[in-house]
Amino acid sequence: MKLYSKDGVEMMDVKSIDLDGERLVIKGKMMGSMATTIFVAPADMWGAFTLFPWRVKLRMPGLLLRGWLAERRARQK
């Protein structure tokens, strides 16, 4: 997964997301060169979830489905 700025500059290339106990462990590269490991605690996950407006939360299942279908089509080519 790649995260971009509004200008289209790649900010982070996420290589993996896993669990370490109850924390999320996100590994990737920041700004194309700095390898990084980010730990996210459960309270911070909840804090991130509360940042999403309800309209985004309600559309999230559909967005995940569209992403899954696009990935599936790309693999079939």
Side-chain angles (χ1 to χ4, degrees):
M1 171 176 71
K2 295 183 187 255
L3 305 173
Y4 297 93
S5 71
K6 72 176 185 174
D7 301 322
V9 176
E10 183 181 311
M11 302 303 289
M12 183 171 185
D13 183 9
V14 177
K15 296 296 184 188
S16 68
I17 301 174
D18 206 350
L19 282 173
D20 178 21
E22 292 191 349
R23 298 184 305 176
L24 280 181
V25 179
I26 303 168
K27 293 185 178 186
K29 280 191 176 182
M30 298 288 289
M31 305 294 291
S33 63
M34 292 188 318
T36 188
T37 302
I38 299 168
F39 296 91
V40 185
D44 296 322
M45 286 182 243
W46 180 253
F49 186 72
T50 62
L51 293 174
F52 289 107
W54 275 105
R55 63 184 176 82
V56 173
K57 290 175 187 174
L58 293 173
R59 289 193 60 197
M60 202 168 284
L63 295 171
L64 289 170
L65 178 62
R66 286 177 55 189
W68 179 75
L69 290 172
E71 182 71 22
R72 190 172 156 198
R73 274 186 244 120
R75 286 185 184 172
Q76 289 176 349
K77 290 183 180 180

